Amino acid sequence: MNDASMSAEMTANLSKSLDFDQAAKPKVVAKDVNVFYGEKQALFDVSIDIVEKSVTAFIGPSGCGKSTFLRCINRMNDTIEGCVVKGGISLDGDDIYAPSLDVVELRARVGMVFQKPNPFPKSIYENVSYGPRIHGLARGKTELDEIVESSLKRAGLWEEVKDRLNEPGTGLSGGQQQRLCIARAIAVSPEVILMDEPCSALDPIATARIEELIDELRANFTIIIVTHSMQQAARVSQRTAFFHLGILVELGATEQIFTNPSDKRTQDYITGRFG
Amino acid sequence: MVDIATRPPIDWSTPAARARRKSRYAANRRLQAYGIAAISLAIGLLGILIISLIATGYSAFVTTRITVDFPISTEYVNPEDPARGNYRAVVKAGIEELFPNVTGPDERALGQLLTNNTQFMVRDAVVADPSVIGGKLSLSVPASDPFDQLNKGLVDRNTPEDERRVTDQQIQWFDQLEAEGRVSTPFNWGLFFNSDSRFPELAGLAGAIVGSFYALLVCFLVAFPIGIAAAIYLEEFAPRNRWTDLIEVNINNLAAVPSIVFGLLGLAVFLNFIGLPRSAPLVGGLVLALMTLPTIIIVTRASLKAIPPSIREAGLGIGASKHQMVMHHVLPLALPGILTGTIIGLAQALGETAPLLLIGMNAFITSPPGGILDAATALPTQVFIWADSPERGFVALTSAGILVLLGFLIIMNSIAIFLRQRLERSW
Ligand SMILES: Nc1ncnc2c1ncn2[C@@H]1O[C@H](COP(=O)(O)OP(=O)(O)OP(=O)(O)O)[C@@H](O)[C@H]1O
Ligand SMILES: [Mg+2]
C-alpha cells in the first residue's frame, strides 16, 4: 500500500487504517481510481481497501463522488455515456476492469441496492427469483422456491409477504419495497453488496429495520453503504471512509473517525460545519 | 441593491396590487375562452362533416327490392342442367305476368324496373334449389338505380318528364307494384357483402374491406417487427454519434414525407424493378409499411424512453445482460405504448389513398380478392372510384363508403385508447 504517488497525508491515514485491519482480508482493493464524466473529473486518485464480511460506510458532502465510486465497483458506470474510469479495482485479487472480465458475472458477485426502491413491476416472487433464474442458480422449481423463501427470510420480509408472493412488488410499502430489493440482491448470493443511500426514502422505523438487517447480513456479505446520516454510519459500519470533492480524505475504524478524526475536513464535516 | 431584510413589508391591498391581480384573472379567463372557442369550432366542423355525410349517405344503407314470381318453366330451364337455362326469357315471363296488358316496345321500359343482373340472381336461386323447376320462384330482386332513387324519394315527381331518368309511365307501374305490396325497403346488406359493380344498386364494399384487410395485414407484419427492432437498436444499443444522429433526423423526416412519394417509390421499386403484380394488396401493404415504419419507430422509441432508468438499473444491477434487460423488463413495459402507436399508425394507413392509386389498387373487381397477390381495391380507393362515377346512386354510396371507413377508423382508435387506459401504469 505504499504507493509513491500518494500524498504523505493520505499515506499516513491509510497506514493507520491498515494497522487496524492487519488481520482482516481485503475483499475489494481500489488503487488510484480516477473517474471522469466527459471533461469533468469526479474522483481523484482514490485508493481504498474494503474489508471482507464487514460494513464500510462512505460519507461526505453531496456531490463528492460517493455514488460514483460505489458504481465503479460493479461497473454500473459503464452504462453512463462519457464516463471513463482509470486506475485499478480488484475483487479478490482479480482486476474487474480487465477486458476478459464478464460484467454480467461481476454484477452477480457484486449486488447493488439503490437509493430509491426499484422493484420490477412484477410479482414479489418474480422479483426475487429473477436473478437466480437468469444466472441459472436453481435446478427446478422447488429449488427456486427455496431460494426465494430464504432470501425473503434473510431480508426480514418473509412473514409480511409469504401469503401474497404473486402480488406485484410495487404494491408494497416503501420500506417493504427496499427490503424486497435487498432480498432480490441477496438471492444471487453476491459476495459484496453495494447500498447507495438505501434508507433515504424511508421513515425511521423502516430505516431501523434495514439497519438491523445490514447488521445481520454482515456475517455473510461484504457491505458498502453510502449514507448522509452520521448516526447511521456510526450505528451500522465498522469502517468509515470520508470523501470530499472527489478525494478520499480519510479512512478508518468508524469509532476513530467519529471520535478522533485525523483530518481537519473530516472533523468539520462530522461536527456539521459543512455538508 | 436592496437588502431583503430591511425592505418594508409589502402591502398587498393597494389599488395597484389589486388591479394586477384582477388583470391576471382576466388573462386566465381569456385563455380559457380561446380554448373553448377553438374546441367548439373543431367539434362544429366535425359535426357538419358527419351530418352532411349522413345526409347524403344514409339512403345507401337501405335498398329497394321488388318481389316477383318467376315461372320456371322447363321450356327455358333444363332440369338436367339448370345453370344453362334461358333466364332472360324467364325474367321476361315473370314481368309479363305482373303486367299482362303491357306489350310491344313498352315491355323494354318495364324491364328497366329491375336490376340488370336479375337473370343471374334467378339462375343462382334455381341452381341452389332445382325443385322449383316447373313451378314458380318467388324472389325479391333489387330495383334498378332510378327506381331505387324514386322509392327513396330522391327523384322529384314534379320535374318535367324529359329531365328525369324515369318516365311517367314507369312511375305509374312502380306505384302499382307498391300498391300490390311487392316493393320493400330492407337494410342494404349488399353494402357490406357485395363487391363493386357497375350498377349502384348492386355495388358494395366487400372487395374493398377484404383488400384493405390484406393490405393492413401485410403492412403490420412488415412494419411492426422491423420498426420495433430498429427502435430497440437505436434507443438501447446504438452509440450516440454523428451517424445515429443522422439516422434519427432522417427517420423523423421520413415521417413527414407526403404519402404520394411512397407511392411513386413503390411503383418504381416493387412493380417496375422487382416485378410484383400490379394492384395487389401485397404491394399496397408494402407501400403502407414504408409509410407506417417511421411512425412505429418513433412511438416505440418514445415508449422505451418513458421507461424509468431505475428499472434498467435494477435489471443491470442484478447481472442481467443488456439484451435480458431490454427483453425482460423494458420492452414488456413499453408494449402498451407501442401497440397504441402501432394501431394509430395502421389507422392512418387505412385511410391512405394516394399511394394505393399509384400502384393501381383501385382495380374494378366484382369479387373480393382471394389473397395478397390478387388485384384488389381498398376502402379509400373504392370511395375514390365511386366518387368518380356518374350514376346518382354512387353519390349516396360514396358518402356511405366514407362513413364505413370512418367507422373502422373510430373502432381502431377506440381500441388504441382502450389499450392505453387498460395497460397504462404509473411508477
Ligand atoms: N452522469 C453524470 N454525468 C456527469 N456528471 C456526473 C454524473 N453523475 C455524477 N456526476 C458528477 O460527479 C460528481 C460526483 O457525483 P456523485 O453522484 O458521485 O456524488 P455523491 O457523492 O453520490 O453525491 P450525493 O450524496 O448527492 O448522492 C458530482 O459533481 C456530479 O455532478
Ligand atoms: Mg449519490
Side-chain angles (χ1 to χ4, degrees):
Chain A
M1 269 320 288
N2 285 319
D3 198 287
S5 70
M6 254 184 263
S7 71
E9 179 191 24
M10 233 152 124
T11 318
N13 287 342
L14 285 177
S15 46
K16 200 172 198 175
S17 62
L18 219 61
D19 292 341
F20 162 74
D21 19 67
Q22 219 121 51
K25 195 172 140 223
K27 179 77 186 172
V28 178
V29 177
K31 212 158 176 306
D32 297 334
V33 173
N34 286 279
V35 180
F36 303 83
Y37 289 111
E39 297 289 289
K40 187 178 180 297
Q41 186 162 4
L43 284 181
F44 300 84
D45 288 328
V46 172
S47 297
I48 194 172
D49 292 354
I50 306 291
V51 177
E52 193 172 29
K53 307 226 162 113
S54 73
V55 179
T56 305
F58 288 179
I59 60 170
S62 191
C64 65
K66 306 177 297 288
S67 300
T68 301
F69 184 66
L70 200 68
R71 292 164 61 93
C72 288
I73 301 172
N74 67 346
R75 287 184 58 177
M76 279 302 268
N77 282 336
D78 289 13
T79 60
I80 297 175
E81 200 116 354
C83 180
V84 178
V85 179
K86 294 214 173 102
I89 300 178
S90 61
L91 175 65
D92 283 339
D94 303 325
D95 180 10
I96 65 165
Y97 280 89
S100 60
L101 180 119
D102 183 3
V103 213
V104 165
E105 189 203 311
L106 172 72
R107 293 191 188 135
R109 290 174 63 192
V110 181
M112 187 154 193
V113 177
F114 297 83
Q115 179 169 358
K116 213 177 123 225
N118 58 352
F120 299 125
K122 301 185 176 198
S123 73
I124 293 168
Y125 183 91
E126 279 175 285
N127 261 285
V128 183
S129 64
Y130 181 71
R133 238 170 358 99
I134 59 171
H135 293 297
L137 301 183
R139 267 157 301 147
K141 173 95 170 95
T142 40
E143 211 175 312
L144 198 58
D145 289 348
E146 280 165 24
I147 293 179
V148 170
E149 182 175 339
S150 68
S151 305
L152 284 170
K153 274 183 177 152
R154 276 158 93 180
L157 192 60
W158 176 251
E159 288 304 320
E160 287 153 76
V161 301
K162 64 180 178 199
D163 298 322
R164 45 172 177 153
L165 289 177
N166 290 320
E167 283 171 33
T170 41
L172 298 172
S173 77
Q176 288 174 324
Q177 286 189 17
Q178 196 60 299
R179 276 180 281 148
L180 178 62
C181 291
I182 293 173
R184 181 176 68 187
I186 58 185
V188 287
S189 311
E191 298 154 34
V192 180
I193 303 177
L194 311 174
M195 298 185 173
D196 194 348
E197 301 180 41
C199 303
S200 66
L202 306 182
D203 68 273
I205 295 174
T207 301
R209 294 220 48 171
I210 304 265
E211 285 179 8
E212 258 170 54
L213 177 60
I214 292 171
D215 209 47
E216 284 162 25
L217 294 175
R218 174 157 67 95
N220 299 300
F221 304 95
T222 305
I223 295 172
I224 307 175
I225 178 171
V226 172
T227 176
H228 275 286
S229 153
M230 304 297 140
Q231 292 84 349
Q232 181 167 64
R235 281 193 300 263
V236 299
S237 72
Q238 286 72 54
R239 302 215 311 159
T240 297
F242 172 63
F243 286 77
H244 183 52
L245 297 176
I247 295 166
L248 172 60
V249 174
E250 189 167 356
L251 167 71
T254 300
E255 236 187 71
Q256 176 244 316
I257 295 275
F258 280 100
T259 54
N260 183 24
S262 53
D263 195 286
K264 174 90 170 55
R265 287 166 291 179
T266 318
Q267 168 104 41
D268 287 349
Y269 182 69
I270 58 173
T271 53
R273 228 157 291 161
F274 67 82
Chain B
M1 227 175 90
V2 183
D3 187 353
I4 203 150
T6 61
R7 246 170 30 183
I10 298 167
D11 182 6
W12 293 103
S13 57
T14 59
R18 232 175 259 164
R20 260 202 311 277
R21 274 204 298 278
K22 215 168 153 186
S23 83
R24 232 158 51 189
Y25 287 126
N28 232 357
R29 277 194 299 275
R30 269 201 307 279
L31 186 63
Q32 271 187 32
Y34 295 151
I36 291 172
I39 288 177
S40 316
L41 186 70
I43 290 181
L45 289 176
L46 190 68
I48 291 172
L49 172 74
I50 303 254
I51 288 169
S52 76
L53 281 174
I54 291 175
T56 45
Y58 81 95
S59 66
F61 286 94
V62 290
T63 181
T64 306
R65 285 182 168 259
I66 299 173
T67 309
V68 183
D69 303 316
F70 296 101
I72 315 290
S73 76
T74 45
E75 182 189 342
Y76 300 129
V77 182
N78 180 359
E80 306 289 297
D81 187 9
R84 281 220 233 133
N86 181 359
Y87 287 100
R88 229 182 129 85
V90 171
V91 172
K92 198 160 167 247
I95 296 172
E96 272 168 4
E97 266 187 26
L98 286 176
F99 297 95
N101 306 331
V102 180
T103 49
D106 279 353
E107 236 179 297
R108 233 182 87 86
L110 190 56
Q112 285 170 357
L113 261 69
L114 302 184
T115 178
N116 252 40
N117 279 15
T118 307
Q119 48 174 317
F120 306 117
M121 293 180 180
V122 175
R123 179 193 65 194
D124 292 345
V126 172
V127 170
D129 177 19
S131 68
V132 298
I133 298 175
K136 281 211 168 163
L137 170 71
S138 178
L139 194 66
S140 114
V141 293
S144 68
D145 181 47
F147 295 94
D148 187 34
Q149 304 289 323
L150 178 73
N151 179 42
K152 290 169 181 168
L154 299 172
V155 173
D156 187 357
R157 290 169 188 240
N158 297 326
T159 45
E161 188 176 10
D162 52 354
E163 278 174 29
R164 50 176 143 82
R165 288 160 67 210
V166 288
T167 61
D168 290 342
Q169 176 71 76
Q170 284 174 320
I171 291 179
Q172 192 206 321
W173 289 328
F174 187 82
D175 290 344
Q176 186 184 333
L177 286 176
E178 189 149 31
E180 288 172 23
R182 288 183 178 277
V183 176
S184 59
T185 316
F187 184 78
N188 186 9
W189 290 110
L191 182 63
F192 298 98
F193 295 113
N194 291 351
S195 286
D196 200 9
S197 163
R198 275 185 300 123
F199 307 108
E201 69 272 18
L202 297 176
L205 289 167
I209 291 173
V210 174
S212 272
F213 171 77
Y214 280 137
L216 283 191
L217 188 69
V218 171
C219 171
F220 174 77
L221 291 180
V222 172
F224 191 68
I226 295 181
I228 289 188
I232 288 180
Y233 176 74
L234 286 174
E235 196 56 44
E236 305 286 342
F237 292 96
R240 296 269 178 277
N241 58 29
R242 207 156 350 125
W243 288 112
T244 44
D245 282 351
L246 192 73
I247 292 175
E248 173 152 13
V249 168
N250 277 305
I251 287 174
N252 290 339
N253 283 341
L254 224 49
V257 168
S259 57
I260 195 156
V261 177
F262 288 105
L264 284 170
L265 183 76
L267 183 64
V269 175
F270 299 131
L271 296 187
N272 296 342
F273 184 69
I274 302 182
L276 293 174
R278 244 185 101 73
S279 306
L282 173 65
V283 182
L286 288 174
V287 171
L288 294 177
L290 289 179
M291 279 189 45
T292 317
L293 200 55
T295 311
I296 293 185
I297 293 177
I298 290 169
V299 296
T300 304
R301 291 190 66 178
S303 307
L304 291 173
K305 249 198 205 102
I307 306 305
S310 64
I311 298 292
R312 296 159 203 269
E313 289 195 321
L316 292 177
I318 201 140
S321 64
K322 211 160 178 184
H323 163 260
Q324 287 171 324
M325 181 232 351
V326 172
M327 288 302 174
H328 296 167
H329 302 293
V330 178
L331 193 58
L333 292 174
L335 213 52
I338 297 174
L339 283 180
T340 309
T342 303
I343 292 173
I344 290 172
L346 287 179
Q348 265 169 17
L350 175 63
E352 209 43 77
T353 325
L356 298 185
L357 292 177
L358 274 178
I359 57 115
M361 250 188 96
N362 53 345
F364 178 77
I365 47 151
T366 53
S367 61
I372 57 170
L373 292 174
D374 290 356
T377 49
L379 276 168
T381 49
Q382 184 70 70
V383 169
F384 178 82
I385 298 172
W386 284 347
D388 231 17
S389 304
E391 284 88 347
R392 266 309 301 266
F394 283 120
V395 176
L397 274 176
T398 304
S399 295
I402 293 172
L403 283 173
V404 171
L405 180 58
L406 287 179
F408 277 111
L409 293 179
I410 289 171
I411 291 173
M412 289 174 77
N413 285 331
S414 312
I415 292 174
I417 291 170
F418 174 77
L419 275 181
R420 185 159 54 205
Q421 289 185 342
R422 228 7 240 289
L423 303 175
E424 199 171 50
R425 69 171 73 236
S426 48
W427 278 276

